[in-house]
Amino acid sequence: MNNAMKTLSRFFLALNYFVMFVSCSSAQKSPGSTITPPPISGHVSKDSVSLWLTNANGSVRLQQQTPVFFDSVNKTNLVISVDSTQRFQTMDGFGYTITGGSATLINQLPTAEKTALLHELFGNSANSIGISYLRISIGASDLNSSVFSYDDMPSGQTDTTLSKFSLGADTVELIPVLKAILQINPTIQILGSPWSAPAWMKDNAGTIGGSLLPAYYNVYAKYLAKYIQAMQRQGITIHAITIQNEPLNPNNNPSMVMQAAEQATFIQQALGPVFKNENLTTKILLYDHNCDRPDYPISILNNPAAAQYVTGSAFHLYAGNISALAQVHDAFPDKNVYFTEQWVGAPGDFASNLKWHVENLIVGAPRNWSKTVLEWNLAADAQYEPHTPGGCTQCLGALTIQGNAITRNVAYYIIAHASKFVPYGSYRIASNMVNGLPNVAFLTPQGKKVLIVMNTTGITQVFGIQFKNVFAPAALASGDVATYVW
């Protein structure tokens, strides 16, 4: 770099620090945001690092800042070193669960606003956040307005041939939204999760709790296969399913309990053989519950007759530690791990939610081998509805949709800091952990390096980003998160 370039680099660096410190010190609390991220503009040198910032009080939300520049001299004591030659798992994506309630609220928007929102969420333009992975419920979740399965029968009756099977209510709200999303992003990955089998298959004949009767294992396996085939006829590929959402939670509506031994038997004797006979390539994921019970998936993976049909295990973090994902991965490195759900409890606190979710999920889950990071419901209204009777009454959506008004809440920015920059097929790459600066790095299919850093300390942290033999200076105020791209 010649003297003129060095002078220019120092000028932009000084300007960048000025912008960051002014934004950190003068910003005021903002309850919500209807502002989308600004487009990328202007020429960026190959020696520069682009950065997007969200600050703790929410007054700056995924806003692009003045770039910083690589230099041969390290000027700080704290250094995050990124090494793209050390590659770990590929990422399937970052996203949300689009519940039936989310779909209802999106469909109520005027056509122009709905189209613009879907392009913002799922497109690849400068104003989009590039969601690449979605979770949906197989039948109703607790954030539908009512409880249903695809084969409900009057009390005391059964349908073992599944002659009454129908996608029913999902054809009204969810499937049209999914079709619109696929028009924008045809390669988006979709995970299906059942909250319960049809009530007539369960030992309590109800929608809350109870367990799947062994006599219906094969019928329920065919029910799940029939769902995948019916969605395919709608033009929607279900790339993976979990066998049961929160199988150790009997209290939701709907819900169903499935102990590890029961899940193993169901996979071995029914689900795996049915999928094989039907030539289904949809991945089967275990567990789909909290990190406090890694023994659940491990016990099933220890059974070769069941494990042969299984791609990996899915987790939530309402209990336990995110390191449970690595524990399961290390025990079975040929099986993947996925992070599939975490809610933000209403009304939410922007600063604390941003800090916890970025540190534990955006950073923690991939660093513990997860191929996905999914927040819970994409959208709810201002009263945290719709939900089933007994369903979640305080689930804050990534979006609040009230009439035609759309507010972007903290979960929107938590996911966007990754989804906008880390597409499907990116590798997680090596970066060292620095106390107070949890971080994770990726290499995209286009060859870009992405580093996400959170300042969890109570003071501003000045640090360097090292790549090969050059260093880019950076600074984050307390509670801020930034995504750096070069």
Side-chain angles (χ1 to χ4, degrees):
M1 185 182 292
N2 59 35
N3 290 334
M5 285 297 293
K6 288 182 179 178
T7 300
L8 185 61
S9 173
R10 293 189 184 102
F11 169 78
F12 280 115
L13 174 59
L15 180 60
N16 179 67
Y17 279 135
F18 175 79
V19 170
M20 284 195 290
F21 285 124
V22 167
S23 67
C24 293
S25 61
S26 64
Q28 298 300 312
K29 180 74 173 179
S30 173
S33 172
T34 57
I35 301 172
T36 57
I40 302 169
S41 61
H43 174 70
V44 177
S45 153
K46 67 179 181 179
D47 297 318
S48 68
V49 179
S50 303
L51 71 101
W52 283 257
L53 178 72
T54 297
N55 65 7
N57 66 19
S59 61
V60 175
R61 302 187 180 203
L62 197 64
Q63 291 183 11
Q64 189 171 10
Q65 308 296 299
T66 305
V68 295
F69 291 84
F70 281 116
D71 198 339
S72 59
V73 179
N74 173 33
K75 300 174 183 177
T76 64
N77 292 324
L78 299 179
V79 175
I80 298 173
S81 181
V82 176
D83 182 358
S84 59
T85 67
Q86 294 188 55
R87 301 179 183 182
F88 304 99
Q89 79 275 23
T90 56
M91 300 302 297
D92 283 353
F94 297 83
Y96 305 93
T97 297
I98 181 167
T99 60
S102 300
T104 297
L105 294 168
I106 291 170
N107 277 326
Q108 289 174 355
L109 293 169
T111 300
E113 284 83 348
K114 173 183 171 181
T115 299
L117 177 63
L118 293 179
H119 276 275
E120 175 191 331
L121 294 172
F122 302 101
N124 60 5
S125 71
N127 284 325
S128 300
I129 64 169
I131 295 168
S132 53
Y133 207 99
L134 280 178
R135 183 175 180 231
I136 60 176
S137 61
I138 299 175
S141 76
D142 60 308
L143 293 191
N144 281 79
S145 57
S146 62
V147 178
F148 64 89
S149 78
Y150 301 129
D151 200 332
D152 290 323
M153 298 295 294
S155 178
Q157 297 185 29
T158 64
D159 179 26
T160 57
T161 64
L162 302 177
S163 62
K164 305 296 185 182
F165 182 96
S166 170
L167 293 176
D170 277 348
T171 64
V172 179
E173 301 287 2
L174 179 63
I175 288 174
V177 172
L178 291 176
K179 288 181 176 180
I181 291 168
L182 286 164
Q183 288 293 314
I184 298 167
N185 180 3
T187 64
I188 195 165
Q189 303 282 296
I190 300 175
L191 167 70
S193 297
W195 264 239
S196 176
W200 56 268
M201 297 186 189
K202 298 167 66 177
D203 59 7
N204 68 351
T207 62
I208 302 175
S211 297
L212 181 65
L213 288 165
Y216 293 115
Y217 277 8
N218 204 56
V219 177
Y220 188 47
K222 291 179 179 179
Y223 170 95
L224 294 173
K226 206 170 183 70
Y227 163 75
I228 292 166
Q229 294 161 341
M231 291 293 275
Q232 190 65 60
R233 288 192 292 272
Q234 294 284 338
I236 300 167
T237 299
I238 303 300
H239 297 88
I241 66 163
T242 63
I243 297 165
Q244 172 61 42
N245 172 70
E246 298 190 346
L248 302 179
N249 174 9
N251 303 313
N252 211 346
N253 188 19
S255 60
M256 185 171 78
V257 173
M258 185 178 274
Q259 300 294 339
E262 294 173 306
Q263 192 161 113
T265 301
F266 175 63
I267 296 167
Q268 176 182 341
Q269 296 183 0
L271 189 64
V274 165
F275 274 30
K276 184 177 181 179
N277 291 339
E278 296 290 339
N279 295 315
L280 296 179
T281 59
T282 302
K283 299 171 184 175
I284 296 173
L285 309 185
L286 304 172
Y287 191 43
D288 207 13
H289 209 169
N290 288 330
C291 289
D292 61 340
R293 291 291 307 275
D295 61 296
Y296 187 117
I298 285 174
S299 69
I300 300 173
L301 294 173
N302 271 323
N303 176 353
Q308 64 177 318
Y309 300 111
V310 172
T311 297
S313 308
F315 295 87
H316 308 173
L317 191 54
Y318 304 110
N321 189 284
I322 196 67
S323 62
L325 278 67
Q327 181 181 343
V328 175
H329 169 270
D330 292 347
F332 297 93
D334 61 328
K335 302 296 185 182
N336 298 321
V337 292
Y338 303 81
F339 191 86
T340 51
E341 181 187 314
Q342 195 71 28
W343 77 322
V344 174
D349 175 75
F350 194 94
S352 61
N353 290 144
L354 182 72
K355 177 181 176 181
W356 189 92
H357 285 246
V358 171
E359 180 177 12
N360 287 282
L361 308 186
I362 300 300
V363 173
R367 290 192 78 104
N368 284 279
W369 295 95
S370 183
K371 292 174 68 67
T372 59
V373 179
L374 308 180
E375 290 277 330
W376 179 220
N377 55 316
L378 177 60
D381 69 15
Q383 291 74 45
Y384 319 120
E385 294 181 344
H387 58 78
T388 64
C392 180
T393 59
Q394 290 185 303
C395 285
L396 180 67
L399 306 172
T400 297
I401 301 178
Q402 191 68 27
N404 297 345
I406 303 170
T407 302
R408 291 151 184 83
N409 300 317
V410 66
Y412 174 98
Y413 298 99
I414 291 164
I415 290 296
H417 261 281
S419 62
K420 185 176 177 67
F421 311 101
V422 185
Y424 172 86
S426 298
Y427 282 95
R428 177 174 68 89
I429 57 177
S431 64
N432 62 301
M433 288 293 267
V434 175
N435 286 339
L437 293 172
N439 66 85
V440 64
F442 303 93
L443 177 67
T444 74
Q446 296 75 32
K448 289 189 175 295
K449 279 68 66 180
V450 179
L451 176 68
I452 303 170
V453 186
M454 178 89 209
N455 179 5
T456 59
T457 73
I459 61 172
T460 295
Q461 293 284 359
V462 177
F463 59 98
I465 300 169
Q466 180 182 7
F467 183 67
K468 297 183 178 178
N469 296 319
V470 292
F471 302 83
L476 287 176
S478 175
D480 289 2
V481 59
T483 301
Y484 303 88
V485 183
W486 66 96

